[in-house]
Amino acid sequence: MGTPVLIDISSTLLLIAFLLYIVATICFVVTITGKKWSVEQGENPKKKWGKIGFLTTLVGFGCHLGFFFLRWIGQGHTPTSNMFEFMSVLSLTVILGFIIIHAIYRVASLGAFVLPVTVTLIGWASVFDTNPKPLIPALQSHWLTLHVTTVSIGEGIFAVGFAAGLMYVLRTVDQKKSSAQTFALEFFLFTVLILVGFIILSFLFSAIGYEVSFEYINERGEEQTITYTLPAIAGPHEGEQITAERMQPIISTPSWMQGVDAPRKFNTMIWSVLGGLVLYVGLRLLIRKRLGAAMQPWVMELKPSMLDEISYRAIAIAFPIFTLGGLIFAMIWAEQAWGRFWGWDPKEVWALITWLFYATYLHLRLSRGWHGAKSAWLAVIGFIIIMFNLVFVNLVIAGLHSYA
Amino acid sequence: MADKVKNKRFVLRVTVLVIIALALGGALISAFMNDDTPVRVGEPAPDFRLDNVEGDSVRLSDFEGQGVFINFWATWCGPCREEMPDIQAQYEVFKDQGVEVLAVNIAESELAASRFAERLNLTFPILLDHDRTVTKQFEVGDIPSSFFIGPEGNVVDKHTGILTEDQIKAYMEKIRP
Amino acid sequence: MEQIRCECGHENPYGTEICQSCGKPFDNKQDILNMRYEGVARRSQTYNKSLVDRIWNFFASVRVGMTMLFILLVASILGTIYPQQMYIPQTVEPLLYYEEQYGQLGYLYALLGFHNLYSSWWYITLLVLIGISITIASIDRFIPLYRSLKRQGVRRHPSFMSRQRIFGKSEVDHPEKVMHRVKAQLQKQRYRVREEDGALLGEKARFNRWGPYVVHVGLIILLIGALIRIMPGVTMEEYMWIRDGETVPVPGTDRQFYVKSEGFDLDVYDETSAEEWVPEEFRTEAVLYENVAEDKMGEPQLEEIKRQTIKVNQPLKHDTLKLYQSDFILNEFSEFSFHVKHKQSGDILGEVTVDLYQPQSQYDLGGGNKVELIEYYPDFELDENQQPATKSNIPNNPAFIFEVTTPHVPEGEHSWIFVGQKIEAPGNENQYELSISDVQFNNVSGLMVREERVLPIIYTGLGIAMIGLMMCYYWQHRRIWIQQEGNEIWLAAHTHKNWYGMQKEVVKLIESTELMNPSHLKISKDFLDKEE
């Protein structure tokens, strides 16, 4: 279906955008870390690198937009209907959020933390099935485009608030002694490394085309064949391996894990955690201090008050957009498609939870005691909730929205 | 002056709180206390009109002054098949004492219903609820389901599930005019 | 409950932090002034005596509101651990279902009522309490804030000025001239300017301050709509199955409306290539009628009011009544035709066509040949006594007993027909046989019937809330005070959000009017930077 040529071009554009974002990230990191450079005559080299980084980001954004529209034309509907498309659109709107906030505050170094979010999201998106799929009747509506893009724009700007919040935490945490905050920060960075580990492993094993299949009795008591794309550390409970010459499972999935394809998901989780552990421990051995402590000098030159304000401002700008897309458009569409504007579907509830969370955040900002570290942590948690809703609720908690 | 302000304030607060309390109380009570069934024991039964298997129109209100036993059934329902002969037997006893039986068949063909009645020698009217309107009106879920309407048109009792002949007799005595 | 008398002579109510006339702060500190709610006395802070006051103060507290919001948040999360009851099969016993699917935890979940969390009395009560909290907290803050901003003076007390985050002063030679220039420049920067004995107040986007209250009004309307919705009889949710060609009353409308299906159909994407087919479109060609008969229970008199193809995402709407494409059954048997054949000669006497929903009993083939349908089982099975019976009224597995009467067999002979097989009545050899000659199929369309009368309320609430949110976050209330203090001109500025933007505007103002050197401007470092 559609025009395969355009889809191919769009995929290439996404790859180019991905690479440009990596280049831009490096430029931004140079901006914030290269303080030892002497100021030569002419332009401040830091400013120059910031400018180069921002221009690279803009070019990347252009390619990314090209991906979006070519895929739209190529498949005949907006690329907003499966996990790959949701994530690549979100990665696009994160950059949009960065451009908006940059236009207000002109803090290029923010890019050093925002762009990795996009890079990770594009990488993550590519783990899912990237083939265009025909649109089922429930999704054939202009509201699909409106709802998903508006929500994404809101979430993209929330992501900028998250990045600034994270930078605030990195900047202000006292790394001289270990505390609950340093622990929480390390734990968060570890979680990010789990994700990175998952993406790298998925790519490695899909590059060599690894597959191993099992037969087992699934959660509905039916016989099922399940195919792993990662070597099986945990096989299905009382499962039988049907692909020869592959690693034998070391353990079996606990029988109480009952869900669609639970054994494979459990196995993937083990791999991801192991991958994250290897990365984390490796890095710790390499730099011999907390990751947070190693990153702290990067952000040392930034003013905490500026980061606090950017984080708050980004969330304040994003909140009405999220309300419009995630609640109002969602209700109008739900009314039109399902005959009820609100149905307590898990995805809807999680959108409400996200909304309530940020509403609480904005109210707490009224009192001065919640400025600074507390509010920065809330900005971080808020984005974790968004990612949870995007990934976990779609893939694990079944509901009307689980298309991916 | 301060007292005046204070009084005004007090009045405002009380007014706002009372309005909220009344509005919410009303809303919550009607939402949670209402059992939302249109056919309640002690209240008038909703009137309806259906065709019987002969094609004649029958209304519940035609039987004012008589006790009416409304039985919802279908040929595919085992317990319905089982209790029919007992209903017929009691009908023959109470027919002359002013009790009528209306057997409402749920969404089956006229042929299926009339053949069934012929086979069991049923002599009371068999009504056909093709589109389940009356079934929904009486909120019938499981069948057999029986409603007992007194001579004044009020629901005297209702019963879901199979009835024994003794029960049928007792109910009929209750609605006898 | 003493009134606070300011040195300017103004009587301020108890609890006031900043004089409502001249702006003198009543605390004797030197740090940056807390400008929240303009330092007015909030009602909740004033009295704390009677029960009424206590209830009022409870709901007016932001802390209480936030706590309730947090509980709501956590409760909502709990409700998504396992599917809610509305998403599990409707026929099963919930406690058993949850235990079977999710083990002990599932059982506990259902036992505690979490499977019906969002309609539980305590969840709704929580929503209601939040609604009350929003209402009272808004009244408590809005009225004094509105008065304060409405009545605010232009000339401020020196200590009010010097304790603003953006403050500057400089000596000038001709204060009047400078003030004149400043006024013009403020207007150029689109400030609304008020002047009062040598003092200027430039103000911008004051409506931004009403934003939160507009949002709250919208949310209250939304909550009221939601509350009305749970009252009986406000919404109607029904379901109907309709066969191709049928005209049936719309459930829930007391025979006011009838709908006819002129056929259900479905399209599939690229049938050949896909491993499993993906539907492209479901649609029912529907006609909506209104029954205009006086007596709704009597013979309906139908008048066509609308003709539309109902698709997913394109419901049929008539006033508040809506019909949605929801489900379908393809290829249900609708008609069977039989040839009646004389077995020996092979002559076909005629054809009998049986409508499987409303079968006739007599079929006249002419020439004295008759067929009677004696028994009909739409969904044939043998019951517990091994007697023929039907499982349902849907013709999934139709079975028939016919009696054929001809001049040759005036007493008639019986034949049994099941789908796919024939059995003759045992005992005697039949002369005639019936064989299926044609089968007709029907599609059945599942339509959802909805009437949502609160929809306008809900949308109004959402719209108002959205406008309020934009007022809150896309505009900022900015104020600049400029006044003569002897030979000096003092400048102070305040905003609630976006200090960065405020700062830029002040710098622009002083640079273009040469009011003072920007380095004279004291922009207080943020509290956070100080804390380091």
Coordinates of all heavy atoms in Angstrom, one line a residue, chain C residues 140-183:
Chain C
D140 N -12.5 32.5 47.8 CA -11.7 33.0 48.9 C -10.6 33.9 48.4 O -10.2 34.9 49.0 CB -11.1 31.8 49.6 CG -10.4 32.3 50.9 OD1 -11.2 32.8 51.8 OD2 -9.2 32.1 51.1
R141 N -10.0 33.6 47.2 CA -8.9 34.4 46.7 C -9.3 35.5 45.7 O -8.8 36.6 45.6 CB -7.9 33.5 46.1 CG -7.1 32.7 47.2 CD -6.4 31.6 46.6 NE -5.6 30.9 47.6 CZ -6.1 30.1 48.5 NH1 -7.4 29.9 48.5 NH2 -5.3 29.5 49.4
F142 N -10.3 35.1 44.9 CA -10.6 36.0 43.8 C -11.2 37.3 44.2 O -10.8 38.4 43.8 CB -11.6 35.3 42.8 CG -12.1 36.2 41.7 CD1 -11.2 36.6 40.7 CD2 -13.4 36.7 41.7 CE1 -11.6 37.4 39.7 CE2 -13.8 37.6 40.7 CZ -12.9 37.9 39.7
I143 N -12.2 37.3 45.2 CA -12.8 38.5 45.5 C -11.8 39.6 46.1 O -11.8 40.7 45.6 CB -14.0 38.2 46.5 CG1 -15.1 37.5 45.8 CG2 -14.5 39.5 47.1 CD1 -16.2 37.0 46.7
P144 N -11.0 39.2 47.1 CA -10.1 40.2 47.6 C -9.0 40.6 46.5 O -8.7 41.8 46.5 CB -9.4 39.6 48.8 CG -9.8 38.2 48.8 CD -11.0 38.0 47.9
L145 N -8.6 39.7 45.7 CA -7.6 40.0 44.7 C -8.2 41.0 43.7 O -7.5 42.0 43.3 CB -7.1 38.7 44.0 CG -6.1 38.9 42.9 CD1 -4.8 39.4 43.5 CD2 -5.9 37.7 42.1
Y146 N -9.4 40.7 43.3 CA -10.0 41.6 42.3 C -10.2 43.0 42.9 O -9.8 44.0 42.2 CB -11.4 41.0 42.0 CG -12.2 41.9 41.0 CD1 -11.9 41.8 39.7 CD2 -13.1 42.8 41.5 CE1 -12.6 42.6 38.8 CE2 -13.8 43.6 40.6 CZ -13.5 43.5 39.2 OH -14.2 44.3 38.3
R147 N -10.6 43.1 44.2 CA -10.8 44.4 44.8 C -9.4 45.1 44.9 O -9.3 46.3 44.5 CB -11.3 44.2 46.2 CG -12.8 44.3 46.2 CD -13.2 44.6 47.6 NE -14.5 44.0 47.9 CZ -14.8 43.2 48.9 NH1 -13.9 43.0 49.8 NH2 -16.0 42.7 49.0
S148 N -8.4 44.4 45.3 CA -7.1 44.9 45.5 C -6.5 45.5 44.2 O -6.0 46.6 44.1 CB -6.2 43.9 46.0 OG -4.9 44.4 46.1
L149 N -6.7 44.7 43.1 CA -6.1 45.2 41.8 C -7.0 46.4 41.3 O -6.5 47.3 40.6 CB -6.0 44.1 40.8 CG -4.9 43.1 41.1 CD1 -4.9 41.9 40.1 CD2 -3.5 43.9 40.9
K150 N -8.2 46.3 41.5 CA -9.2 47.4 41.1 C -8.8 48.7 41.8 O -8.8 49.7 41.1 CB -10.6 46.9 41.4 CG -11.6 47.8 40.7 CD -12.2 47.0 39.5 CE -13.1 48.0 38.7 NZ -13.1 47.6 37.3
R151 N -8.5 48.6 43.1 CA -8.4 49.8 43.8 C -6.9 50.3 44.0 O -6.7 51.3 44.7 CB -8.9 49.6 45.3 CG -10.4 49.4 45.4 CD -10.7 49.3 46.8 NE -12.0 48.9 47.1 CZ -12.4 48.3 48.2 NH1 -11.5 48.1 49.2 NH2 -13.7 47.9 48.3
Q152 N -6.0 49.5 43.4 CA -4.6 49.8 43.7 C -4.2 51.3 43.4 O -4.6 51.8 42.4 CB -3.7 48.9 42.9 CG -3.8 49.0 41.4 CD -2.8 48.1 40.7 OE1 -1.8 47.8 41.2 NE2 -3.2 47.6 39.5
G153 N -3.5 51.9 44.3 CA -3.0 53.3 44.1 C -1.9 53.3 43.1 O -1.3 52.3 42.7
V154 N -1.5 54.5 42.7 CA -0.4 54.6 41.8 C 0.9 54.9 42.6 O 1.9 54.2 42.4 CB -0.6 55.8 40.8 CG1 0.6 56.0 40.0 CG2 -1.8 55.5 40.0
R155 N 0.9 55.8 43.5 CA 2.1 56.1 44.3 C 2.2 55.0 45.4 O 1.3 54.7 46.1 CB 2.0 57.5 45.0 CG 3.2 57.8 45.8 CD 3.3 59.3 46.1 NE 3.9 60.1 45.1 CZ 5.2 60.2 44.8 NH1 6.0 59.5 45.6 NH2 5.7 60.9 43.9
R156 N 3.4 54.5 45.5 CA 3.6 53.4 46.4 C 4.6 53.9 47.5 O 5.4 54.8 47.3 CB 4.3 52.2 45.7 CG 3.6 51.6 44.5 CD 2.6 50.6 44.9 NE 1.3 51.1 45.3 CZ 0.3 50.4 45.7 NH1 0.4 49.1 45.8 NH2 -0.8 51.0 46.1
H157 N 4.5 53.2 48.6 CA 5.4 53.5 49.7 C 6.8 53.2 49.3 O 7.1 52.2 48.7 CB 4.9 52.6 50.9 CG 5.5 53.1 52.2 ND1 6.7 52.6 52.6 CD2 5.1 53.9 53.2 CE1 7.0 53.1 53.8 NE2 6.0 54.0 54.1
P158 N 7.8 54.0 49.7 CA 9.2 53.7 49.4 C 9.6 52.3 49.7 O 10.4 51.7 48.9 CB 10.0 54.7 50.2 CG 9.0 55.8 50.5 CD 7.6 55.2 50.5
S159 N 9.2 51.8 50.8 CA 9.7 50.5 51.1 C 9.1 49.4 50.2 O 9.7 48.3 50.0 CB 9.4 50.1 52.6 OG 8.1 50.1 52.8
F160 N 7.9 49.7 49.7 CA 7.3 48.8 48.7 C 8.2 48.7 47.5 O 8.5 47.7 46.9 CB 5.9 49.2 48.4 CG 5.2 48.4 47.3 CD1 4.4 47.4 47.6 CD2 5.4 48.7 45.9 CE1 3.7 46.6 46.7 CE2 4.7 48.0 45.0 CZ 3.9 46.9 45.3
M161 N 8.6 49.9 47.1 CA 9.4 50.0 45.8 C 10.8 49.3 46.0 O 11.1 48.5 45.2 CB 9.7 51.5 45.5 CG 8.5 52.3 45.2 SD 7.7 52.0 43.6 CE 8.9 52.8 42.5
S162 N 11.4 49.6 47.1 CA 12.8 49.1 47.3 C 12.8 47.6 47.5 O 13.9 47.0 47.4 CB 13.5 49.8 48.4 OG 12.8 49.6 49.6
R163 N 11.7 47.1 47.9 CA 11.7 45.6 48.1 C 11.2 44.8 46.9 O 10.9 43.6 47.1 CB 10.9 45.3 49.4 CG 11.7 45.7 50.6 CD 10.8 45.5 51.9 NE 10.6 44.0 52.1 CZ 9.8 43.6 53.1 NH1 9.2 44.5 53.9 NH2 9.5 42.3 53.2
Q164 N 11.0 45.4 45.8 CA 10.7 44.7 44.6 C 11.9 44.0 44.0 O 13.0 44.5 44.2 CB 10.0 45.6 43.5 CG 8.7 46.1 44.0 CD 7.6 45.0 44.2 OE1 7.6 44.0 43.5 NE2 6.8 45.2 45.2
R165 N 11.7 43.0 43.2 CA 12.8 42.2 42.7 C 13.6 43.1 41.6 O 14.8 42.9 41.5 CB 12.4 40.9 42.0 CG 12.3 39.8 43.1 CD 11.7 38.6 42.5 NE 12.6 37.8 41.7 CZ 12.3 36.6 41.2 NH1 11.1 36.1 41.4 NH2 13.2 36.0 40.5
I166 N 12.8 43.9 40.9 CA 13.5 44.8 40.0 C 13.3 46.2 40.5 O 12.2 46.7 40.6 CB 13.0 44.7 38.5 CG1 13.2 43.2 38.0 CG2 13.5 45.7 37.6 CD1 12.7 43.0 36.6
F167 N 14.4 46.8 40.8 CA 14.3 48.1 41.5 C 15.5 49.0 41.0 O 16.7 48.5 40.9 CB 14.3 48.0 43.0 CG 14.4 49.3 43.7 CD1 13.4 50.3 43.6 CD2 15.5 49.6 44.5 CE1 13.5 51.5 44.3 CE2 15.7 50.8 45.1 CZ 14.6 51.8 45.0
G168 N 15.3 50.3 40.8 CA 16.4 51.1 40.5 C 16.1 52.6 40.8 O 14.9 52.9 40.9
K169 N 17.1 53.4 41.1 CA 16.9 54.8 41.3 C 18.0 55.6 40.8 O 19.2 55.1 40.7 CB 16.6 55.1 42.8 CG 17.7 54.6 43.8 CD 17.3 54.9 45.2 CE 18.3 54.3 46.2 NZ 17.9 54.5 47.6
S170 N 17.7 56.8 40.3 CA 18.8 57.6 39.9 C 18.4 59.1 40.0 O 17.2 59.4 40.0 CB 19.2 57.3 38.4 OG 18.1 57.7 37.6
E171 N 19.4 60.0 40.1 CA 19.2 61.4 40.2 C 19.0 61.9 38.8 O 19.8 61.6 37.9 CB 20.3 62.1 40.9 CG 20.1 62.2 42.4 CD 21.2 62.9 43.1 OE1 21.5 64.0 42.6 OE2 21.7 62.4 44.1
V172 N 18.0 62.8 38.6 CA 17.9 63.4 37.3 C 17.7 64.9 37.5 O 17.3 65.4 38.5 CB 16.7 62.8 36.5 CG1 17.0 61.5 36.0 CG2 15.4 62.9 37.4
D173 N 18.0 65.6 36.4 CA 18.0 67.1 36.5 C 16.6 67.6 36.4 O 16.1 68.5 37.2 CB 18.9 67.7 35.4 CG 20.3 67.4 35.7 OD1 20.7 67.2 36.9 OD2 21.1 67.4 34.7
H174 N 15.9 67.1 35.4 CA 14.5 67.6 35.2 C 13.5 66.5 35.3 O 13.1 65.9 34.3 CB 14.4 68.3 33.8 CG 15.3 69.4 33.6 ND1 15.2 70.6 34.3 CD2 16.5 69.4 32.9 CE1 16.2 71.4 33.9 NE2 17.0 70.7 33.0
P175 N 13.2 66.2 36.5 CA 12.3 65.0 36.8 C 11.0 65.0 35.9 O 10.6 64.0 35.3 CB 12.0 65.0 38.3 CG 13.0 65.9 38.9 CD 13.5 66.9 37.8
E176 N 10.4 66.2 35.8 CA 9.1 66.3 35.1 C 9.3 65.9 33.7 O 8.5 65.1 33.1 CB 8.5 67.7 35.2 CG 7.9 68.0 36.5 CD 8.9 68.4 37.6 OE1 10.1 68.7 37.2 OE2 8.6 68.4 38.8
K177 N 10.3 66.4 33.1 CA 10.6 66.1 31.7 C 10.8 64.6 31.5 O 10.2 63.9 30.6 CB 11.8 66.8 31.2 CG 11.5 68.0 30.3 CD 12.8 68.5 29.7 CE 12.7 69.9 29.3 NZ 14.0 70.5 29.0
V178 N 11.6 64.0 32.4 CA 11.9 62.6 32.3 C 10.6 61.8 32.5 O 10.3 60.9 31.7 CB 12.9 62.2 33.3 CG1 13.2 60.7 33.3 CG2 14.2 62.9 33.1
M179 N 9.8 62.2 33.4 CA 8.6 61.5 33.7 C 7.7 61.5 32.4 O 7.0 60.5 32.1 CB 7.8 62.1 34.9 CG 8.4 61.8 36.2 SD 8.5 60.1 36.7 CE 6.9 59.9 37.4
H180 N 7.7 62.6 31.8 CA 6.9 62.8 30.6 C 7.4 61.8 29.5 O 6.5 61.1 28.9 CB 7.0 64.2 30.0 CG 5.9 64.5 29.1 ND1 4.6 64.7 29.5 CD2 5.9 64.7 27.7 CE1 3.9 65.0 28.4 NE2 4.6 65.0 27.4
R181 N 8.7 61.7 29.3 CA 9.3 60.8 28.3 C 8.9 59.4 28.7 O 8.6 58.6 27.8 CB 10.8 61.0 28.3 CG 11.3 62.1 27.4 CD 12.7 61.7 26.8 NE 13.7 61.3 27.8 CZ 14.4 62.2 28.5 NH1 14.3 63.5 28.2 NH2 15.3 61.8 29.3
V182 N 9.1 59.1 30.0 CA 8.8 57.7 30.4 C 7.4 57.3 30.1 O 7.1 56.2 29.6 CB 9.1 57.6 31.9 CG1 8.6 56.2 32.5 CG2 10.6 57.7 32.2
K183 N 6.5 58.2 30.4 CA 5.1 57.9 30.2 C 4.8 57.6 28.7 O 4.1 56.6 28.4 CB 4.2 59.1 30.6 CG 2.7 58.8 30.5 CD 1.9 60.0 30.9 CE 0.4 59.7 30.8 NZ -0.4 60.9 31.1

